[in-house]
């Protein structure tokens, strides 16, 4: 994965910035956080965030902006146009550490961690044997599936958020923080810039919801969590490879990873919501399709683990 | 197979329950009838389909044919009404190793939407107390021994007041002390009116705690009833000690009896199929023949057998009618030794 490509694709839509009025952020990460499931959902989050593995993955994600910031700090000035997009801006404004780190973690690190969590959802319980005890509790298969997806979705929200916030934090402590010049040429204050940073994190969270649904489905197919995790991560790589092949251009808008890097629109004034909306619709489609597949598989599955 | 009177209320009732995995029929048309209030032993060698049956009962897997009624309700259609009243230990305990024992129970209790969250803490404490794990409540399950996990599994089944407990091999991995504790736990639960369905491959265990039992072999239910019924159903048999094994066998066959086998005197029990003829023992051979008393076709009075033997010139050195023990019946029904059914 070339670090130039994301920069180029992020800059491309800047030329024809359509000043559309801000649309409704359809769905959004909060849509899956329903209270339905109650105690089980709280318990699910408890189990997820009491695992050392979860913290190791979040720690790894947090290390990305730290590495970037320290590397830029200790090295000489980065020549403009080299390295990942926004890298050269870091020395002028520390908040760009967050943006750069998110950009860097999109192709592999975020899908990897989300793939692990989503692939583990059902298969992990089956592997431990706890699935049968949840089902005879009785948790209810549909309820359990929704709670499991909800847990994976929360992780999909938390993961980019960690990168953004740690990036902003380390950036602010190592570099000056000031007004940010947007792609549209307008300058915004640091406070609003932080808001934009969170907006990008939200964009990535939405981007990862489709992958989470794929992981959930994979997870219902096997009792071996590693298998479900690996196939989910591999699918995210395959999707990105297909997206890079110009011969398959007709397929590109249907790939779940197609809009992953198109968050540059969020760095305009006013915010162009088109790509956010397009991405959200695509992800919702993936959630619907793979959610239905997971449902179809899990509701009739013989739990023999 | 002894039919249980259907006038009694049944906690578990299966009708023609079958489960096919590929070409193998793991459970083959079984009709279980577990009376409410009984302690029901579900016996069978490893691989005879006990756990599969339990999975079918609890709605974990779907039956290929037949139906299950649990606490009077059709399963798995009424799973959500039935399972909150059922505590289960299925195919060994399973927990999150990175959570403490208490946290594991909290997790499973939270999975049940029908129990009040407010009392969860107290119920978890009571359940741990009941299986003697209070001291290890905050220890990670990773550090538990197999016996402790087994107890925690039983605690999980006791998290809420239950009407039916399904315990699959509850004493697996327990030391003799733990086994005794489980037995007394089962007894005390039964005294509270809980129906307990215990699967086991250990006959002794079942004989000690159960009021009823069923025996599985190769996916089929080969016997069920009260323990007394099962013992009686094992036909009484003749035991003939004689040096003239061959002649004796002929007489017995002539009387319409089948000779189970002959062993040199001193060995405990017939092992092979068909009569063994070599009279190596000093006293002669022991011949066994089931007495078909009470099975309809008249049967042969034992005294008539003696008379016939003597009339045929067979030297009878010992003669007895004896009742088959439950263990012998179990072995007769399921095959001997460690033959795991393929």
């Amino acid at each position: 994965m070339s670090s130039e490509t994301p920069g180029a694709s992020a800059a491309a839509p800047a030329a024809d910035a359509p000043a559309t009025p801000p649309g409704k952020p359809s769905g959004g990460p909060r849509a899956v956080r329903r209270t339905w499931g109650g105690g089980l959902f709280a318990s699910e989050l408890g189990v997820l965030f009491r695992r050392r593995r979860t913290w190791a993955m979040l720690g790894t994600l947090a290390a990305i902006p730290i590495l970037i910031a320290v590397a830029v700090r200790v090295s000489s000035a980065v020549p403009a146009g080299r390295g990942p997009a926004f890298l050269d801006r870091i020395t002028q404004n520390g908040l760009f550490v967050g943006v750069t780190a998110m950009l860097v973690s999109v192709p592999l690190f975020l899908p990897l961690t989300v793939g692990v969590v989503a692939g583990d959802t059902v298969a992990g319980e089956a592997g431990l044997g706890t699935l049968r005890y949840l089902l005879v509790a009785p948790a209810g298969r549909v309820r359990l599936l929704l709670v499991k997806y909800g847990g994976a979705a929360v992780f999909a929200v938390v993961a980019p958020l960690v990168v953004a916030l740690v990036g902003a934090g380390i950036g602010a402590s190592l570099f000056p923080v000031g007004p940010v010049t947007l792609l549209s040429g307008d300058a915004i204050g640091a406070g609003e810039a932080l808001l934009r940073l969170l907006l990008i994190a939200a964009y990535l969270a939405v981007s990862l919801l489709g992958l989470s649904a794929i992981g959930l489905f994979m997870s219902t197919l096997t009792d071996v969590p590693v298998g479900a995790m690996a196939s989910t991560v591999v699918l995210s790589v395959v999707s990105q490879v297909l997206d890079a092949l110009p011969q398959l251009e007709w397929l590109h808008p249907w790939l779940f990873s197609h809009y992953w890097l198109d968050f540059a629109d969020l760095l305009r004034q006013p915010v162009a919501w088109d790509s956010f909306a397009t991405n959200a619709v695509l992800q919702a489609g993936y959630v619907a399709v793979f959610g239905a597949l997971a449902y179809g598989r899990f509701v009739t599955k013989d739990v023999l683990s | 197979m002894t039919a249980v009177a259907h006038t009694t209320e049944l906690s578990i009732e299966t009708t023609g329950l079958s489960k096919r995995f590929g070409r193998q029929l793991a459970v083959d048309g079984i009709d279980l009838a577990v009376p409410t209030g009984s302690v029901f032993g579900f016996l069978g060698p490893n691989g005879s389909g006990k756990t599969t049956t339990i999975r079918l009962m609890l709605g974990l897997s779907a039956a290929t044919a037949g139906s299950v009624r649990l606490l009077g309700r059709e399963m798995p259609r009424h799973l959500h009404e039935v399972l909150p009243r059922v505590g289960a230990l299925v195919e060994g305990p399973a927990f999150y190793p990175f959570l403490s024992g208490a946290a594991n129970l909290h997790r499973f209790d939270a999975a049940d939407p029908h129990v009040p969250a407010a009392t969860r803490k107290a119920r978890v404490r009571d359940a741990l107390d009941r299986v003697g794990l209070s001291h290890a409540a905050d220890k990670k399950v990773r550090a538990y021994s197999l016996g402790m996990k087994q107890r925690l599994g039983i605690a999980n089944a006791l998290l809420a007041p239950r009407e039916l407990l399904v315990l699959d091999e509850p004493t697996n991995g327990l030391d003799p002390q733990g086994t005794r504790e489980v037995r007394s736990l089962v007894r005390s639960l039964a005294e509270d009116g809980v129906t307990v369905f215990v699967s086991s491959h250990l006959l002794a265990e079942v004989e000690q705690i159960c009021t009823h039992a069923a025996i599985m072999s190769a996916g089929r239910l080969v016997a069920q009833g009260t323990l007394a019924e099962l013992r009686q159903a094992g036909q009484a048999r003749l035991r003939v000690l004689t040096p003239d094994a061959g002649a004796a066998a002929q007489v017995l066959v002539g009387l319409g009896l089948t000779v189970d086998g002959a062993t040199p005197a001193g060995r405990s029990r017939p092992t092979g199929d068909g009569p063994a003829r070599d009279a190596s023992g000093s006293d002669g051979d022991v011949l066994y023949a089931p007495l078909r008393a009470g099975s309809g076709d008249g049967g042969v009075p034992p005294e008539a057998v003696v008379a016939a033997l003597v009339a045929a010139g067979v030297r009878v050195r010992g003669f007895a009618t004896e009742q088959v023990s439950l263990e012998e019946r179990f072995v007769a029904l399921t095959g001997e030794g460690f033959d795991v059914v393929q």
Side-chain angles (χ1 to χ4, degrees):
Chain A
M1 75 222 93
S2 145
S3 44
E4 253 82 13
T5 328
S9 69
D16 47 72
T20 40
K24 234 177 68 187
S26 63
R30 255 150 249 95
V32 291
R33 260 199 225 169
R34 29 182 113 188
T35 47
W36 203 71
L40 184 56
F41 185 58
S43 156
E44 177 66 24
L45 292 184
V47 169
L48 179 61
F49 287 101
R50 262 184 288 183
R51 283 196 93 149
R52 214 175 295 161
R53 184 179 72 198
T54 308
W55 288 102
M57 291 195 298
L58 292 177
T60 310
L61 287 173
I64 295 168
I66 295 174
L67 277 176
I68 291 174
V70 171
V72 170
R73 187 80 178 87
V74 299
S75 65
S76 49
V78 180
R82 299 275 308 272
F86 310 113
L87 190 65
D88 51 335
R89 307 245 206 132
I90 288 176
T91 45
Q92 296 132 50
N93 198 326
L95 291 181
F96 275 103
V97 174
V99 182
T100 311
M102 280 195 275
L103 201 59
V104 167
S105 48
V106 162
L108 184 63
F109 292 105
L110 285 174
L112 187 72
T113 50
V114 166
V116 166
V117 170
D120 193 49
T121 46
V122 177
E125 301 279 359
L128 286 174
T130 45
L131 183 58
R132 61 178 182 265
Y133 286 109
L134 290 175
L135 291 181
V136 301
R141 296 197 180 205
V142 179
R143 177 167 166 262
L144 184 61
L145 203 60
L146 285 170
V147 162
K148 281 290 175 186
Y149 185 71
V154 166
F155 185 82
V157 171
V158 169
L161 200 62
V162 164
V163 180
L165 292 181
V166 172
I170 189 85
S173 58
L174 292 184
F175 303 100
V177 171
V180 173
T181 311
L182 295 173
L183 295 175
S184 53
D186 305 77
I188 54 170
E192 210 198 321
L194 190 65
L195 220 62
R196 296 292 176 104
L197 200 63
L198 295 179
L199 210 54
I200 295 176
Y203 182 94
L204 293 184
V206 172
S207 296
L208 294 167
L209 288 182
L211 183 64
S212 301
I214 294 172
L216 182 76
F217 171 58
M218 291 293 169
S219 201
T220 60
L221 296 180
T222 173
D223 293 345
V224 185
V226 177
M229 295 174 193
S231 47
T232 308
V233 175
V234 165
L235 272 181
S236 85
V237 173
V238 167
S239 173
Q240 292 178 76
V241 169
L242 294 180
D243 204 21
L245 296 177
Q247 289 84 353
L248 296 175
E249 212 169 343
W250 55 271
L251 182 67
H252 291 174
W254 301 99
L255 294 171
F256 61 89
S257 64
H258 185 61
Y259 301 105
W260 278 4
L261 291 161
D262 290 357
F263 50 77
D265 283 359
L266 303 175
L267 296 178
R268 294 177 207 292
Q269 190 75 306
V271 175
W273 290 102
D274 302 32
S275 55
F276 198 113
T278 318
N279 183 33
V281 168
L282 179 73
Q283 299 300 331
Y286 269 91
V287 171
V289 170
F290 282 91
L293 286 173
Y295 168 84
R297 166 73 183 147
F298 188 57
V299 165
T300 56
K301 181 179 171 149
D302 272 356
V303 176
L304 302 174
S305 57
Chain B
M1 196 181 301
T2 315
V4 170
H6 278 254
T7 45
T8 52
E9 202 183 323
L10 299 177
S11 281
I12 304 173
E13 185 181 11
T14 73
T15 320
L17 188 65
S18 300
K19 179 67 180 178
R20 182 181 287 282
F21 293 115
R23 286 170 49 222
Q24 193 207 340
L25 210 51
V27 174
D28 187 0
I30 70 169
D31 300 305
L32 264 179
V34 178
T36 299
S38 65
V39 179
F40 196 98
F42 194 38
L43 273 165
N46 297 324
S48 57
K50 299 190 300 290
T51 298
T52 306
T53 305
I54 289 175
R55 285 180 187 281
L56 294 173
M57 278 170 12
L58 297 174
L60 285 172
S61 80
T64 311
S67 65
V68 179
R69 289 174 76 82
L70 224 56
L71 299 173
R73 308 304 304 267
E74 186 88 15
M75 285 287 284
R77 192 177 306 147
H78 298 285
L79 185 144
H80 289 277
E81 297 157 52
V82 174
L83 288 188
R85 294 147 66 198
V86 179
L89 178 71
V90 192
E91 208 183 12
F95 296 103
Y96 305 89
F98 49 89
L99 295 183
S100 72
N104 266 290
L105 294 190
H106 274 271
R107 162 82 167 160
F108 290 131
D109 196 63
D112 182 357
H114 309 85
V115 291
T119 57
R120 184 165 298 149
K121 225 174 168 161
R123 284 183 292 111
V124 166
R125 192 165 4 90
D126 290 348
L128 285 169
D129 208 35
R130 195 142 193 197
V131 298
L133 271 183
S134 303
H135 65 284
D138 297 324
K139 221 167 154 182
K140 295 249 191 297
V141 168
R142 186 181 287 123
Y144 274 31
S145 68
L146 178 58
M148 289 164 81
K149 284 183 194 157
Q150 194 76 28
R151 286 159 192 251
L152 192 60
I154 295 172
N156 176 45
L158 300 175
L159 274 176
R162 314 286 194 188
E163 290 165 48
L164 171 66
L165 278 179
V166 177
L167 303 175
D168 191 6
E169 305 274 1
T171 56
N172 246 10
L174 290 179
D175 49 25
Q177 179 64 26
T179 308
R180 279 177 52 179
E181 283 168 22
V182 168
R183 276 204 296 265
S184 74
L185 187 65
V186 167
R187 280 198 198 98
S188 76
L189 288 164
E191 276 163 25
D192 297 346
V194 180
T195 308
V196 188
F197 182 84
V198 195
S199 93
S200 180
H201 61 275
L202 300 175
L203 181 83
E205 189 173 292
V206 168
E207 274 196 295
Q208 285 189 54
I209 56 173
C210 295
T211 58
H212 294 66
I215 301 177
M216 287 281 283
S217 176
R220 308 189 68 102
L221 196 64
V222 289
Q224 79 173 319
T226 64
L227 283 200
E229 279 172 341
L230 282 177
R231 287 200 187 98
Q232 275 161 22
Q235 303 139 331
R237 67 181 181 191
L238 294 176
R239 182 176 175 280
V240 182
L241 177 63
T242 171
D244 309 322
Q250 273 178 10
V251 172
L252 292 174
V253 169
L255 286 168
L257 299 168
T258 47
V259 179
D260 261 357
T263 41
R267 284 193 30 204
S268 58
R269 155 161 52 95
T271 48
D273 306 6
R277 280 159 175 269
D278 48 320
S280 49
S282 56
D283 279 345
D285 287 347
V286 179
L287 261 71
Y288 292 97
L291 258 185
R292 293 192 197 284
S295 71
D297 51 352
V300 188
E303 59 274 20
V305 177
V306 185
L309 284 171
V310 173
V314 174
R315 290 169 287 168
V316 179
R317 290 189 178 154
F319 186 87
T321 62
E322 52 186 37
Q323 203 66 42
V324 180
S325 77
L326 199 54
E327 183 182 355
E328 280 170 290
R329 179 126 174 85
F330 179 56
V331 170
L333 287 168
T334 61
E336 268 192 276
F338 293 103
D339 305 333
V340 172
V341 178
Q342 296 302 309

